Amino acid sequence: MSTEVVKEAKLEEEPRQCTKKEKLGHAIGVLGHDSMYTLWSTWTTPFLTDILKLPAGFLAFLFGGARFFDAFTDISMGIIADRTRSKWGRFRPWLLRSGPLMGICLALSFFKPDIGTIGLCIFAGIMYIITGSIVFTSVDIPFWSLPAAMTSNTKERSEIVGFTTTASNTITGIIGLVMPMALAFFGEFNWYVYFFLALAVAVWGVTMYLISFKLVREHVVPDDSEKFELKLALKNIFQNKPLLLIQISNIFCLLGMMLKGYLNYYYCVYNWGSLGYMTVLNLINLVGMVVGALIFTFLSQHIGKKNCMFLFAGLMTISSLVLYFAGYHNAIVLFATSSVSTVCVGAVMVCVNAMMMDTIEYGEWKTGQRNEAMITSTRCFVTKCVMAVAGIAVAAVIGLTGYIPQETVQPVNVLNSFHFVYTLVSAGIIQDFVEYLFFTEQSLDMPNRTACDLFIRNNSSRVLPDDTVCVVVELTNLSQINTAYGRERGNTISATLIR
């Protein structure tokens, strides 16, 4: 092969498949999706404890039992979604089917019938499981599987995930800001205030789902002649080392964040003495999450996703430790550490979603079967399991420390327990996450090699065009490059040398 041919050879990026309207459509969908989920996941516990006044022991049983049920529903929904075939695709139809049901269930989750304590336990338990374990799962897994079905271009897919996650962080912050303000204005201990706020969010959410369904398209269509095999789908999860490592690390980080999130209401109302503190923290959260997502998008291009995870998780740990030693008497420290934490959370959320999407091709490479929904179901399952652990932990703190519902002045041991879990426990869990990532050998940034193997396999039976050029390049120092700069950055340098 002549030198001239090598010099002319170029690495071509895989064609982009999505229009701007389609990318916007997915981001619009998350405005409805996460507005409903944020309201339900954040405010269900205060509603059950302070409005319905259900026993803490029942709540711990409910939170734990629902998550065991999720082990069945999440995997089942992943299988159903991957096997779905319709004129609208595999995942889009579920926005139309389950989106309106999620709105109905959200409103009913904040309804208080006059049926006594036992009746309320039964009603609340049924609604909690139907809403969180069945209806939400049936729309969440297809929705977050869509980016992988919209395009096979990893760079374009990361853009979709980044854009959608930024929109998610924004709407999550807005709901967190509006809810405490609305409750403080209309009455924080009136059940019908919760109900009508949930109803308004439900109408908004369903509308966003319908708009998203209209705009989004699926361009990556599996071969209908290939029969779905459950055995291969399970291998896509359990033999997908990058996916497992990402989700194990995700458990630590999510648990630290959710403990703070679930205790936010109690910590602000009782430790700091006003729901107004929660409004300020949620305003900080609104700005910080968006800023974190944008910082990650820029920074990951220079130091890689994995190093970004180290950096932001470490900063989260430090901010929690500072708040613990400062106590709950200095508002400036509270707001400053919360600002750092929320920026880090925004960055970590985008990072986890982007890395998880990269493992879809790896699973296909290992098994020969593409299972976007099954892989996405692991994210949903992990999130719900962590929600259960965090919910049980908060219920235990409330039940074992002598917490008195709606009592302005709580015992000192209750306040200290809230502060300890909100700061030191969260910091310790996130530190475990950092240590796990640091001391575990991983290949989280591997889509280049996997995509190459997939391309070769998918084209192995096709006749190549006459202008096809094959280039073989040996880089004797590739190992040193990857060691010095990390795998992702090393691949970028290698590609530049080949060009």
Side-chain angles (χ1 to χ4, degrees), residues 333-408:
V333 175
L334 172 66
F335 297 146
T337 54
S338 296
S339 299
V340 174
S341 294
T342 52
V343 169
C344 295
V345 169
V348 168
M349 295 299 291
V350 180
C351 186
V352 169
N353 288 335
M355 288 196 297
M356 185 188 71
M357 290 294 172
D358 289 343
T359 68
I360 292 173
E361 277 76 21
Y362 182 83
E364 183 182 1
W365 174 65
K366 290 284 287 186
T367 65
Q369 180 171 285
R370 188 178 180 88
N371 296 114
E372 295 98 328
M374 283 292 289
I375 287 178
T376 304
S377 71
T378 63
R379 169 187 171 275
C380 188
F381 177 65
V382 164
T383 301
K384 289 180 179 179
C385 287
V386 174
M387 285 175 60
V389 174
I392 292 172
V394 171
V397 172
I398 290 173
L400 299 176
T401 57
Y403 168 77
I404 306 171
Q406 300 185 16
E407 187 67 37
T408 303

Side-chain angles (χ1 to χ4, degrees), residues 175-471:
I175 294 297
L177 178 65
V178 170
M179 274 298 292
M181 293 175 61
L183 290 173
F185 182 79
F186 293 109
E188 60 185 284
F189 296 121
N190 296 320
W191 74 265
Y192 54 83
V193 175
Y194 281 87
F195 175 75
F196 284 112
L197 289 172
L199 185 62
V201 172
V203 172
W204 158 266
V206 172
T207 303
M208 296 301 103
Y209 274 136
L210 297 179
I211 295 174
S212 180
F213 170 82
K214 180 70 176 177
L215 297 179
V216 170
R217 294 292 183 273
E218 297 182 29
H219 300 287
V220 182
V221 181
D223 188 353
D224 288 335
S225 64
E226 295 182 2
K227 185 179 178 182
F228 176 90
E229 295 186 31
L230 178 59
K231 183 178 180 180
L232 291 180
L234 294 175
K235 283 185 177 180
N236 246 310
I237 295 175
F238 295 108
Q239 292 187 7
N240 195 328
K241 182 182 177 182
L243 173 67
L244 296 177
L245 291 172
I246 289 168
Q247 296 296 13
I248 291 172
S249 302
N250 194 26
I251 288 172
F252 293 116
C253 203
L254 278 175
L255 186 56
M257 292 188 293
M258 286 188 178
L259 281 173
K260 295 184 73 171
Y262 283 178
L263 273 175
N264 204 24
Y265 169 81
Y266 303 97
Y267 190 63
C268 291
V269 171
Y270 300 111
N271 287 70
W272 292 91
S274 173
L275 194 60
Y277 280 94
M278 189 173 182
T279 302
V280 177
L281 291 179
N282 286 330
L283 178 60
I284 293 173
N285 184 71
L286 170 61
V287 178
M289 293 279 279
V290 176
V291 171
L294 296 175
I295 290 176
F296 168 78
T297 302
F298 170 78
L299 197 59
S300 62
Q301 297 176 6
H302 297 277
I303 66 173
K305 303 186 194 76
K306 182 179 174 182
N307 289 331
C308 281
M309 292 284 276
F310 289 150
L311 174 63
F312 291 113
L315 289 175
M316 288 168 65
T317 301
I318 293 171
S319 65
S320 295
L321 289 173
V322 170
L323 181 58
Y324 172 76
F325 289 110
Y328 47 90
H329 306 290
N330 191 326
I332 295 176
V333 175
L334 172 66
F335 297 146
T337 54
S338 296
S339 299
V340 174
S341 294
T342 52
V343 169
C344 295
V345 169
V348 168
M349 295 299 291
V350 180
C351 186
V352 169
N353 288 335
M355 288 196 297
M356 185 188 71
M357 290 294 172
D358 289 343
T359 68
I360 292 173
E361 277 76 21
Y362 182 83
E364 183 182 1
W365 174 65
K366 290 284 287 186
T367 65
Q369 180 171 285
R370 188 178 180 88
N371 296 114
E372 295 98 328
M374 283 292 289
I375 287 178
T376 304
S377 71
T378 63
R379 169 187 171 275
C380 188
F381 177 65
V382 164
T383 301
K384 289 180 179 179
C385 287
V386 174
M387 285 175 60
V389 174
I392 292 172
V394 171
V397 172
I398 290 173
L400 299 176
T401 57
Y403 168 77
I404 306 171
Q406 300 185 16
E407 187 67 37
T408 303
V409 180
Q410 296 288 336
V412 175
N413 64 305
V414 173
L415 301 180
N416 290 337
S417 298
F418 286 167
H419 182 65
F420 176 76
V421 175
Y422 191 87
T423 57
L424 201 58
V425 172
S426 297
I429 292 171
I430 296 171
Q431 181 62 32
D432 288 340
F433 157 77
V434 175
E435 292 174 356
Y436 180 82
L437 268 178
F438 188 78
F439 291 109
T440 303
E441 178 63 29
Q442 300 174 76
S443 301
L444 301 182
D445 296 305
M446 56 167 50
N448 292 336
R449 182 180 301 175
T450 304
C452 182
D453 290 338
L454 282 174
F455 179 83
I456 293 172
R457 187 175 68 191
N458 292 337
N459 290 277
S460 60
S461 60
R462 299 178 183 177
V463 178
L464 296 176
D466 294 334
D467 59 351
T468 301
V469 177
C470 179
V471 180

